[in-house]
PDB file of all heavy atoms in Angstrom:
ATOM      1  N   LEU E 241      38.600 128.987  22.703  1.00  0.00           N
ATOM      2  CA  LEU E 241      37.892 130.248  22.962  1.00  0.00           C
ATOM      3  C   LEU E 241      37.139 130.685  21.705  1.00  0.00           C
ATOM      4  O   LEU E 241      35.962 131.047  21.761  1.00  0.00           O
ATOM      5  CB  LEU E 241      38.919 131.313  23.366  1.00  0.00           C
ATOM      6  CG  LEU E 241      38.407 132.540  24.102  1.00  0.00           C
ATOM      7  CD1 LEU E 241      37.827 132.154  25.451  1.00  0.00           C
ATOM      8  CD2 LEU E 241      39.554 133.535  24.298  1.00  0.00           C
ATOM      9  N   LYS E 242      37.811 130.594  20.550  1.00  0.00           N
ATOM     10  CA  LYS E 242      37.183 130.965  19.277  1.00  0.00           C
ATOM     11  C   LYS E 242      35.966 130.101  18.986  1.00  0.00           C
ATOM     12  O   LYS E 242      35.004 130.545  18.367  1.00  0.00           O
ATOM     13  CB  LYS E 242      38.179 130.771  18.119  1.00  0.00           C
ATOM     14  CG  LYS E 242      38.950 132.005  17.697  1.00  0.00           C
ATOM     15  CD  LYS E 242      39.629 131.741  16.343  1.00  0.00           C
ATOM     16  CE  LYS E 242      40.582 132.848  15.969  1.00  0.00           C
ATOM     17  NZ  LYS E 242      41.350 132.561  14.742  1.00  0.00           N
ATOM     18  N   ALA E 243      36.016 128.818  19.432  1.00  0.00           N
ATOM     19  CA  ALA E 243      34.904 127.892  19.159  1.00  0.00           C
ATOM     20  C   ALA E 243      33.741 128.109  20.120  1.00  0.00           C
ATOM     21  O   ALA E 243      32.678 127.531  19.931  1.00  0.00           O
ATOM     22  CB  ALA E 243      35.396 126.443  19.261  1.00  0.00           C
ATOM     23  N   GLY E 244      33.957 128.897  21.192  1.00  0.00           N
ATOM     24  CA  GLY E 244      32.841 129.219  22.090  1.00  0.00           C
ATOM     25  C   GLY E 244      32.879 128.521  23.439  1.00  0.00           C
ATOM     26  O   GLY E 244      31.919 128.623  24.197  1.00  0.00           O
ATOM     27  N   SER E 245      33.972 127.812  23.777  1.00  0.00           N
ATOM     28  CA  SER E 245      34.069 127.228  25.121  1.00  0.00           C
ATOM     29  C   SER E 245      34.107 128.362  26.143  1.00  0.00           C
ATOM     30  O   SER E 245      34.809 129.356  25.949  1.00  0.00           O
ATOM     31  CB  SER E 245      35.331 126.369  25.246  1.00  0.00           C
ATOM     32  OG  SER E 245      35.153 125.157  24.563  1.00  0.00           O
ATOM     33  N   LYS E 246      33.365 128.201  27.226  1.00  0.00           N
ATOM     34  CA  LYS E 246      33.227 129.307  28.204  1.00  0.00           C
ATOM     35  C   LYS E 246      34.056 129.056  29.470  1.00  0.00           C
ATOM     36  O   LYS E 246      34.790 129.923  29.899  1.00  0.00           O
ATOM     37  CB  LYS E 246      31.750 129.446  28.619  1.00  0.00           C
ATOM     38  CG  LYS E 246      30.802 129.750  27.456  1.00  0.00           C
ATOM     39  CD  LYS E 246      30.785 131.239  27.172  1.00  0.00           C
ATOM     40  CE  LYS E 246      29.769 131.621  26.116  1.00  0.00           C
ATOM     41  NZ  LYS E 246      30.076 131.068  24.779  1.00  0.00           N
ATOM     42  N   SER E 247      33.890 127.874  30.059  1.00  0.00           N
ATOM     43  CA  SER E 247      34.620 127.571  31.299  1.00  0.00           C
ATOM     44  C   SER E 247      35.944 126.931  30.885  1.00  0.00           C
ATOM     45  O   SER E 247      36.083 125.713  30.820  1.00  0.00           O
ATOM     46  CB  SER E 247      33.785 126.623  32.158  1.00  0.00           C
ATOM     47  OG  SER E 247      34.529 126.251  33.291  1.00  0.00           O
ATOM     48  N   LEU E 248      36.916 127.785  30.560  1.00  0.00           N
ATOM     49  CA  LEU E 248      38.135 127.331  29.886  1.00  0.00           C
ATOM     50  C   LEU E 248      39.361 127.627  30.747  1.00  0.00           C
ATOM     51  O   LEU E 248      39.506 128.741  31.252  1.00  0.00           O
ATOM     52  CB  LEU E 248      38.246 128.070  28.540  1.00  0.00           C
ATOM     53  CG  LEU E 248      39.447 127.760  27.673  1.00  0.00           C
ATOM     54  CD1 LEU E 248      39.454 126.299  27.234  1.00  0.00           C
ATOM     55  CD2 LEU E 248      39.431 128.666  26.429  1.00  0.00           C
ATOM     56  N   PHE E 249      40.226 126.631  30.905  1.00  0.00           N
ATOM     57  CA  PHE E 249      41.472 126.794  31.667  1.00  0.00           C
ATOM     58  C   PHE E 249      42.629 126.583  30.691  1.00  0.00           C
ATOM     59  O   PHE E 249      42.875 125.454  30.252  1.00  0.00           O
ATOM     60  CB  PHE E 249      41.546 125.760  32.792  1.00  0.00           C
ATOM     61  CG  PHE E 249      40.389 125.833  33.753  1.00  0.00           C
ATOM     62  CD1 PHE E 249      39.221 125.128  33.503  1.00  0.00           C
ATOM     63  CD2 PHE E 249      40.455 126.625  34.889  1.00  0.00           C
ATOM     64  CE1 PHE E 249      38.148 125.194  34.383  1.00  0.00           C
ATOM     65  CE2 PHE E 249      39.384 126.701  35.778  1.00  0.00           C
ATOM     66  CZ  PHE E 249      38.227 125.974  35.518  1.00  0.00           C
ATOM     67  N   GLU E 250      43.316 127.667  30.340  1.00  0.00           N
ATOM     68  CA  GLU E 250      44.448 127.584  29.393  1.00  0.00           C
ATOM     69  C   GLU E 250      45.722 127.446  30.236  1.00  0.00           C
ATOM     70  O   GLU E 250      46.382 128.428  30.548  1.00  0.00           O
ATOM     71  CB  GLU E 250      44.474 128.818  28.506  1.00  0.00           C
ATOM     72  CG  GLU E 250      43.256 128.898  27.583  1.00  0.00           C
ATOM     73  CD  GLU E 250      43.174 130.212  26.806  1.00  0.00           C
ATOM     74  OE1 GLU E 250      43.267 131.291  27.433  1.00  0.00           O
ATOM     75  OE2 GLU E 250      43.017 130.167  25.580  1.00  0.00           O
ATOM     76  N   ILE E 251      46.040 126.188  30.591  1.00  0.00           N
ATOM     77  CA  ILE E 251      47.063 125.989  31.636  1.00  0.00           C
ATOM     78  C   ILE E 251      48.477 126.286  31.157  1.00  0.00           C
ATOM     79  O   ILE E 251      49.371 126.443  31.982  1.00  0.00           O
ATOM     80  CB  ILE E 251      46.959 124.582  32.271  1.00  0.00           C
ATOM     81  CG1 ILE E 251      47.195 123.480  31.238  1.00  0.00           C
ATOM     82  CG2 ILE E 251      45.629 124.410  32.979  1.00  0.00           C
ATOM     83  CD1 ILE E 251      47.233 122.082  31.853  1.00  0.00           C
ATOM     84  N   HIS E 252      48.705 126.350  29.856  1.00  0.00           N
ATOM     85  CA  HIS E 252      50.016 126.755  29.333  1.00  0.00           C
ATOM     86  C   HIS E 252      49.981 128.165  28.746  1.00  0.00           C
ATOM     87  O   HIS E 252      50.854 128.541  27.972  1.00  0.00           O
ATOM     88  CB  HIS E 252      50.526 125.741  28.303  1.00  0.00           C
ATOM     89  CG  HIS E 252      50.934 124.429  28.922  1.00  0.00           C
ATOM     90  ND1 HIS E 252      51.180 123.295  28.199  1.00  0.00           N
ATOM     91  CD2 HIS E 252      51.146 124.090  30.223  1.00  0.00           C
ATOM     92  CE1 HIS E 252      51.516 122.299  29.030  1.00  0.00           C
ATOM     93  NE2 HIS E 252      51.492 122.764  30.250  1.00  0.00           N
ATOM     94  N   GLY E 253      48.955 128.941  29.126  1.00  0.00           N
ATOM     95  CA  GLY E 253      48.868 130.326  28.678  1.00  0.00           C
ATOM     96  C   GLY E 253      48.280 130.443  27.284  1.00  0.00           C
ATOM     97  O   GLY E 253      47.640 129.520  26.766  1.00  0.00           O
ATOM     98  N   HIS E 254      48.504 131.601  26.667  1.00  0.00           N
ATOM     99  CA  HIS E 254      47.909 131.896  25.352  1.00  0.00           C
ATOM    100  C   HIS E 254      48.730 132.996  24.675  1.00  0.00           C
ATOM    101  O   HIS E 254      49.633 133.580  25.303  1.00  0.00           O
ATOM    102  CB  HIS E 254      46.458 132.339  25.533  1.00  0.00           C
ATOM    103  CG  HIS E 254      46.332 133.498  26.485  1.00  0.00           C
ATOM    104  ND1 HIS E 254      46.685 134.780  26.137  1.00  0.00           N
ATOM    105  CD2 HIS E 254      45.973 133.548  27.800  1.00  0.00           C
ATOM    106  CE1 HIS E 254      46.514 135.570  27.169  1.00  0.00           C
ATOM    107  NE2 HIS E 254      46.093 134.847  28.200  1.00  0.00           N
ATOM    108  N   LEU E 255      48.349 133.257  23.414  1.00  0.00           N
ATOM    109  CA  LEU E 255      49.112 134.244  22.621  1.00  0.00           C
ATOM    110  C   LEU E 255      48.341 135.554  22.438  1.00  0.00           C
ATOM    111  O   LEU E 255      48.569 136.273  21.481  1.00  0.00           O
ATOM    112  CB  LEU E 255      49.459 133.644  21.254  1.00  0.00           C
ATOM    113  CG  LEU E 255      50.517 132.536  21.288  1.00  0.00           C
ATOM    114  CD1 LEU E 255      50.596 131.823  19.941  1.00  0.00           C
ATOM    115  CD2 LEU E 255      51.883 133.107  21.675  1.00  0.00           C
ATOM    116  N   ARG E 256      47.412 135.852  23.340  1.00  0.00           N
ATOM    117  CA  ARG E 256      46.668 137.116  23.204  1.00  0.00           C
ATOM    118  C   ARG E 256      47.417 138.279  23.838  1.00  0.00           C
ATOM    119  O   ARG E 256      47.226 139.425  23.468  1.00  0.00           O
ATOM    120  CB  ARG E 256      45.276 136.983  23.849  1.00  0.00           C
ATOM    121  CG  ARG E 256      44.389 135.967  23.148  1.00  0.00           C
ATOM    122  CD  ARG E 256      42.990 135.939  23.732  1.00  0.00           C
ATOM    123  NE  ARG E 256      42.937 135.417  25.089  1.00  0.00           N
ATOM    124  CZ  ARG E 256      42.954 134.118  25.404  1.00  0.00           C
ATOM    125  NH1 ARG E 256      43.015 133.217  24.446  1.00  0.00           N
ATOM    126  NH2 ARG E 256      42.903 133.728  26.659  1.00  0.00           N
ATOM    127  N   THR E 257      48.270 137.979  24.821  1.00  0.00           N
ATOM    128  CA  THR E 257      48.975 139.048  25.528  1.00  0.00           C
ATOM    129  C   THR E 257      50.454 138.687  25.730  1.00  0.00           C
ATOM    130  O   THR E 257      50.855 137.534  25.558  1.00  0.00           O
ATOM    131  CB  THR E 257      48.345 139.313  26.922  1.00  0.00           C
ATOM    132  OG1 THR E 257      48.321 138.091  27.646  1.00  0.00           O
ATOM    133  CG2 THR E 257      46.932 139.873  26.810  1.00  0.00           C
ATOM    134  N   CYS E 258      51.211 139.715  26.090  1.00  0.00           N
ATOM    135  CA  CYS E 258      52.623 139.507  26.439  1.00  0.00           C
ATOM    136  C   CYS E 258      52.890 140.333  27.692  1.00  0.00           C
ATOM    137  O   CYS E 258      52.024 141.107  28.126  1.00  0.00           O
ATOM    138  CB  CYS E 258      53.528 139.959  25.292  1.00  0.00           C
ATOM    139  SG  CYS E 258      53.355 141.699  24.868  1.00  0.00           S
ATOM    140  N   ARG E 259      54.078 140.156  28.279  1.00  0.00           N
ATOM    141  CA  ARG E 259      54.415 140.974  29.449  1.00  0.00           C
ATOM    142  C   ARG E 259      55.903 141.323  29.433  1.00  0.00           C
ATOM    143  O   ARG E 259      56.707 140.630  28.801  1.00  0.00           O
ATOM    144  CB  ARG E 259      54.044 140.279  30.749  1.00  0.00           C
ATOM    145  CG  ARG E 259      54.822 139.037  31.071  1.00  0.00           C
ATOM    146  CD  ARG E 259      54.354 138.447  32.401  1.00  0.00           C
ATOM    147  NE  ARG E 259      55.125 137.276  32.808  1.00  0.00           N
ATOM    148  CZ  ARG E 259      54.873 136.035  32.424  1.00  0.00           C
ATOM    149  NH1 ARG E 259      53.869 135.787  31.593  1.00  0.00           N
ATOM    150  NH2 ARG E 259      55.612 135.036  32.850  1.00  0.00           N
ATOM    151  N   CYS E 260      56.201 142.431  30.126  1.00  0.00           N
ATOM    152  CA  CYS E 260      57.589 142.892  30.208  1.00  0.00           C
ATOM    153  C   CYS E 260      58.330 142.048  31.246  1.00  0.00           C
ATOM    154  O   CYS E 260      57.852 141.850  32.363  1.00  0.00           O
ATOM    155  CB  CYS E 260      57.606 144.370  30.595  1.00  0.00           C
ATOM    156  SG  CYS E 260      59.284 144.963  30.914  1.00  0.00           S
ATOM    157  N   MET E 261      59.509 141.556  30.879  1.00  0.00           N
ATOM    158  CA  MET E 261      60.273 140.715  31.802  1.00  0.00           C
ATOM    159  C   MET E 261      60.922 141.548  32.910  1.00  0.00           C
ATOM    160  O   MET E 261      61.423 140.980  33.880  1.00  0.00           O
ATOM    161  CB  MET E 261      61.339 139.925  31.040  1.00  0.00           C
ATOM    162  CG  MET E 261      60.720 138.865  30.147  1.00  0.00           C
ATOM    163  SD  MET E 261      61.915 138.003  29.116  1.00  0.00           S
ATOM    164  CE  MET E 261      62.711 136.931  30.302  1.00  0.00           C
ATOM    165  N   SER E 262      60.895 142.907  32.767  1.00  0.00           N
ATOM    166  CA  SER E 262      61.459 143.746  33.838  1.00  0.00           C
ATOM    167  C   SER E 262      60.359 144.312  34.734  1.00  0.00           C
ATOM    168  O   SER E 262      60.329 144.056  35.932  1.00  0.00           O
ATOM    169  CB  SER E 262      62.265 144.905  33.255  1.00  0.00           C
ATOM    170  OG  SER E 262      63.345 144.413  32.527  1.00  0.00           O
ATOM    171  N   CYS E 263      59.405 145.072  34.131  1.00  0.00           N
ATOM    172  CA  CYS E 263      58.414 145.758  34.984  1.00  0.00           C
ATOM    173  C   CYS E 263      57.110 144.983  35.111  1.00  0.00           C
ATOM    174  O   CYS E 263      56.226 145.397  35.859  1.00  0.00           O
ATOM    175  CB  CYS E 263      58.150 147.177  34.477  1.00  0.00           C
ATOM    176  SG  CYS E 263      57.191 147.236  32.940  1.00  0.00           S
ATOM    177  N   GLU E 264      56.971 143.838  34.375  1.00  0.00           N
ATOM    178  CA  GLU E 264      55.819 142.930  34.501  1.00  0.00           C
ATOM    179  C   GLU E 264      54.509 143.505  33.962  1.00  0.00           C
ATOM    180  O   GLU E 264      53.451 142.920  34.180  1.00  0.00           O
ATOM    181  CB  GLU E 264      55.604 142.493  35.975  1.00  0.00           C
ATOM    182  CG  GLU E 264      56.782 141.809  36.618  1.00  0.00           C
ATOM    183  CD  GLU E 264      56.736 140.286  36.490  1.00  0.00           C
ATOM    184  OE1 GLU E 264      55.662 139.718  36.701  1.00  0.00           O
ATOM    185  OE2 GLU E 264      57.779 139.706  36.150  1.00  0.00           O
ATOM    186  N   ARG E 265      54.564 144.679  33.275  1.00  0.00           N
ATOM    187  CA  ARG E 265      53.311 145.199  32.679  1.00  0.00           C
ATOM    188  C   ARG E 265      52.882 144.293  31.541  1.00  0.00           C
ATOM    189  O   ARG E 265      53.704 143.771  30.804  1.00  0.00           O
ATOM    190  CB  ARG E 265      53.532 146.621  32.139  1.00  0.00           C
ATOM    191  CG  ARG E 265      53.350 147.695  33.186  1.00  0.00           C
ATOM    192  CD  ARG E 265      53.578 149.067  32.586  1.00  0.00           C
ATOM    193  NE  ARG E 265      52.515 149.474  31.672  1.00  0.00           N
ATOM    194  CZ  ARG E 265      52.656 150.450  30.776  1.00  0.00           C
ATOM    195  NH1 ARG E 265      53.785 151.100  30.647  1.00  0.00           N
ATOM    196  NH2 ARG E 265      51.637 150.777  29.999  1.00  0.00           N
ATOM    197  N   HIS E 266      51.536 144.157  31.404  1.00  0.00           N
ATOM    198  CA  HIS E 266      50.988 143.325  30.329  1.00  0.00           C
ATOM    199  C   HIS E 266      50.537 144.195  29.164  1.00  0.00           C
ATOM    200  O   HIS E 266      50.067 145.317  29.354  1.00  0.00           O
ATOM    201  CB  HIS E 266      49.799 142.504  30.847  1.00  0.00           C
ATOM    202  CG  HIS E 266      50.225 141.387  31.736  1.00  0.00           C
ATOM    203  ND1 HIS E 266      50.293 140.084  31.316  1.00  0.00           N
ATOM    204  CD2 HIS E 266      50.638 141.391  33.027  1.00  0.00           C
ATOM    205  CE1 HIS E 266      50.720 139.322  32.316  1.00  0.00           C
ATOM    206  NE2 HIS E 266      50.940 140.102  33.360  1.00  0.00           N
ATOM    207  N   PHE E 267      50.659 143.670  27.949  1.00  0.00           N
ATOM    208  CA  PHE E 267      50.250 144.365  26.731  1.00  0.00           C
ATOM    209  C   PHE E 267      49.598 143.353  25.794  1.00  0.00           C
ATOM    210  O   PHE E 267      49.840 142.146  25.905  1.00  0.00           O
ATOM    211  CB  PHE E 267      51.477 144.942  25.994  1.00  0.00           C
ATOM    212  CG  PHE E 267      52.312 145.871  26.825  1.00  0.00           C
ATOM    213  CD1 PHE E 267      53.418 145.402  27.514  1.00  0.00           C
ATOM    214  CD2 PHE E 267      51.980 147.221  26.915  1.00  0.00           C
ATOM    215  CE1 PHE E 267      54.189 146.253  28.287  1.00  0.00           C
ATOM    216  CE2 PHE E 267      52.748 148.082  27.684  1.00  0.00           C
ATOM    217  CZ  PHE E 267      53.861 147.602  28.378  1.00  0.00           C
ATOM    218  N   PRO E 268      48.798 143.854  24.796  1.00  0.00           N
ATOM    219  CA  PRO E 268      48.344 142.927  23.754  1.00  0.00           C
ATOM    220  C   PRO E 268      49.559 142.344  23.021  1.00  0.00           C
ATOM    221  O   PRO E 268      50.602 143.006  22.923  1.00  0.00           O
ATOM    222  CB  PRO E 268      47.529 143.817  22.810  1.00  0.00           C
ATOM    223  CG  PRO E 268      47.215 145.040  23.589  1.00  0.00           C
ATOM    224  CD  PRO E 268      48.319 145.222  24.591  1.00  0.00           C
ATOM    225  N   PHE E 269      49.413 141.116  22.515  1.00  0.00           N
ATOM    226  CA  PHE E 269      50.549 140.455  21.852  1.00  0.00           C
ATOM    227  C   PHE E 269      51.011 141.225  20.607  1.00  0.00           C
ATOM    228  O   PHE E 269      52.147 141.065  20.153  1.00  0.00           O
ATOM    229  CB  PHE E 269      50.182 139.005  21.508  1.00  0.00           C
ATOM    230  CG  PHE E 269      51.386 138.167  21.158  1.00  0.00           C
ATOM    231  CD1 PHE E 269      52.364 137.904  22.113  1.00  0.00           C
ATOM    232  CD2 PHE E 269      51.559 137.662  19.884  1.00  0.00           C
ATOM    233  CE1 PHE E 269      53.493 137.142  21.798  1.00  0.00           C
ATOM    234  CE2 PHE E 269      52.680 136.902  19.555  1.00  0.00           C
ATOM    235  CZ  PHE E 269      53.641 136.644  20.513  1.00  0.00           C
ATOM    236  N   SER E 270      50.115 142.103  20.081  1.00  0.00           N
ATOM    237  CA  SER E 270      50.508 142.901  18.911  1.00  0.00           C
ATOM    238  C   SER E 270      51.725 143.787  19.213  1.00  0.00           C
ATOM    239  O   SER E 270      52.428 144.203  18.287  1.00  0.00           O
ATOM    240  CB  SER E 270      49.328 143.759  18.425  1.00  0.00           C
ATOM    241  OG  SER E 270      48.879 144.571  19.483  1.00  0.00           O
ATOM    242  N   HIS E 271      51.990 144.075  20.498  1.00  0.00           N
ATOM    243  CA  HIS E 271      53.202 144.845  20.821  1.00  0.00           C
ATOM    244  C   HIS E 271      54.460 144.084  20.389  1.00  0.00           C
ATOM    245  O   HIS E 271      55.449 144.692  20.004  1.00  0.00           O
ATOM    246  CB  HIS E 271      53.271 145.146  22.332  1.00  0.00           C
ATOM    247  CG  HIS E 271      52.400 146.288  22.735  1.00  0.00           C
ATOM    248  ND1 HIS E 271      52.835 147.343  23.494  1.00  0.00           N
ATOM    249  CD2 HIS E 271      51.117 146.549  22.466  1.00  0.00           C
ATOM    250  CE1 HIS E 271      51.852 148.199  23.675  1.00  0.00           C
ATOM    251  NE2 HIS E 271      50.791 147.732  23.066  1.00  0.00           N
ATOM    252  N   VAL E 272      54.391 142.759  20.451  1.00  0.00           N
ATOM    253  CA  VAL E 272      55.520 141.938  20.000  1.00  0.00           C
ATOM    254  C   VAL E 272      55.556 141.890  18.476  1.00  0.00           C
ATOM    255  O   VAL E 272      56.585 142.189  17.848  1.00  0.00           O
ATOM    256  CB  VAL E 272      55.420 140.504  20.578  1.00  0.00           C
ATOM    257  CG1 VAL E 272      56.361 139.557  19.844  1.00  0.00           C
ATOM    258  CG2 VAL E 272      55.739 140.515  22.068  1.00  0.00           C
TER     259      VAL E 272
END
Side-chain angles (χ1 to χ4, degrees):
L241 199 64
K242 265 194 189 174
S245 285
K246 300 276 185 295
S247 175
L248 180 63
F249 302 88
E250 294 173 309
I251 62 175
H252 289 167
H254 55 75
L255 289 169
R256 295 185 292 280
T257 55
C258 60
R259 66 180 183 274
C260 173
M261 291 175 75
S262 298
C263 72
E264 302 267 316
R265 274 180 71 198
H266 287 258
F267 303 95
F269 195 65
S270 57
H271 281 230
V272 165

